[in-house]
Structure formats: structure tokens, C-alpha cells
């Protein structure tokens, strides 16, 4: 059993990549031992969708790609981070604007907290940022 498993994929910042990112992470977690019917699958699927959607929609064409990093450390914590090259960090929009969008980061924050994890935003080396979550992992690594 490995102490650290990790994988990375870089995708174009276009709407079709959201589905690709979600499928990639879910397939990877299945390989790492998470059964498709596990309750965490739905939360992780939605978190990845929101992270990738934010990277596509809110970079104003200034980030041609985004990268999804997934790490499982010592069968204890799952890390999922999405990095883009746009310098603007996620912001909660005023309630009046949130009718059709603007709730993604709140959804991510809620699902991560509900799973006992944490959400972080930190600068990336290229001037962009990484938005990541870390949640406890209760499934043995294969």
C-alpha cells in the first residue's frame, strides 16, 4: 500500500473540460479504492465540477488551461486542487447577483466542511492561484 498516490491532468479552459475533469477524478478515486456507491463520490463529483467550472468561467480568457492535482496521503487525506493562471481569487458575489451564478465557492466550502475538510486558496508560481480542498479519506488505498 503506497503512502502517497498522486495524479495530475491539464485541460483546456473550455466548458467540455469540466466533464473531463470530473470523470478523471472519479475514475482515479475508483482506482484508489473508493466504491462508486460511496457517499463521498457525489460530494467529490460536485466539488470537482465547481472547481473546474470556476477555472473555466471566471478566468476571463486569461488562463488557456487549468490543472487538476489529486493526492492521497497515507490513506488519511484526499487533496484536490485546481490551478489556473488568472490572478483574481474567488469572491462571494452579492446576493442580488447570485441568482444564476456566484454560488460555486459557497457550495465547495459547504461540502468540504460537511466532509470534515478544509478549503484553501493560495497563489500559484505563475501569478495565478490554486483553489484546493483537503478531506479525510476513510477508504484503504489499493
Amino acid at each position: 500500500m503506497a503512502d502517497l498516490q498522486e495524479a495530475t491532468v491539464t485541460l483546456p479552459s473550455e466548458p467540455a473540460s469540466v466533464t473531463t475533469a470530473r470523470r478523471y477524478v472519479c475514475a482515479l478515486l475508483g482506482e484508489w479504492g473508493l466504491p462508486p456507491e460511496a457517499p463521498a463520490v457525489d460530494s467529490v463529483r460536485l466539488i470537482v465540477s465547481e472547481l473546474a467550472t470556476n477555472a473555466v468561467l471566471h478566468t476571463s480568457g486569461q488562463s488557456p488551461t487549468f490543472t487538476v492535482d489529486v493526492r492521497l496521503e497515507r490513506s488519511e487525506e484526499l487533496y484536490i486542487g485546481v490551478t489556473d493562471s488568472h490572478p483574481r481569487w474567488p469572491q462571494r458575489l452579492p446576493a442580488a447577483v447570485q441568482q444564476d451564478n456566484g454560488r460555486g465557492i459557497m457550495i465547495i466550502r459547504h461540502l468540504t466542511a460537511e466532509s470534515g475538510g478544509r478549503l484553501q486558496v493560495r497563489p500559484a508560481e505563475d501569478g495565478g492561484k490554486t483553489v484546493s480542498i483537503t478531506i479525510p479519506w476513510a477508504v484503504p488505498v489499493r
Side-chain angles (χ1 to χ4, degrees):
M1 197 178 309
D3 284 344
L4 174 65
Q5 295 198 36
E6 51 190 342
T8 300
V9 65
T10 299
L11 300 166
S13 292
E14 54 191 44
S17 293
V18 174
T19 300
T20 303
R22 183 177 55 243
R23 287 181 179 159
Y24 173 80
V25 172
C26 289
L28 185 64
L29 296 181
E31 291 174 21
W32 290 351
L34 185 65
E37 69 279 357
V41 171
D42 288 335
S43 292
V44 168
R45 184 179 293 122
L46 184 52
I47 288 168
V48 171
S49 290
E50 292 296 335
L51 288 171
T53 297
N54 286 349
V56 170
L57 292 180
H58 300 296
T59 59
S60 304
Q62 293 184 29
S63 183
T65 62
F66 66 95
T67 301
V68 180
D69 293 302
V70 186
R71 284 194 311 265
L72 178 58
E73 298 182 38
R74 296 180 308 279
S75 302
E76 294 176 7
E77 282 191 331
L78 175 66
Y79 166 92
I80 300 171
V82 172
T83 303
D84 63 58
S85 57
H86 193 283
R88 184 179 32 183
W89 287 30
Q91 298 175 356
R92 187 180 299 185
L93 298 176
V97 178
Q98 291 183 13
Q99 292 177 8
D100 292 330
N101 62 28
R103 293 182 296 273
I105 203 72
M106 291 186 325
I107 291 169
I108 296 165
R109 180 176 283 121
H110 173 76
L111 290 172
T112 301
E114 188 177 70
S115 298
R118 63 190 180 280
L119 169 70
Q120 282 188 304
V121 182
R122 62 187 183 288
E125 291 179 12
D126 66 357
K129 80 269 185 197
T130 299
V131 182
S132 65
I133 61 102
T134 306
I135 56 175
W137 180 268
V139 179
V141 177
R142 290 185 190 170

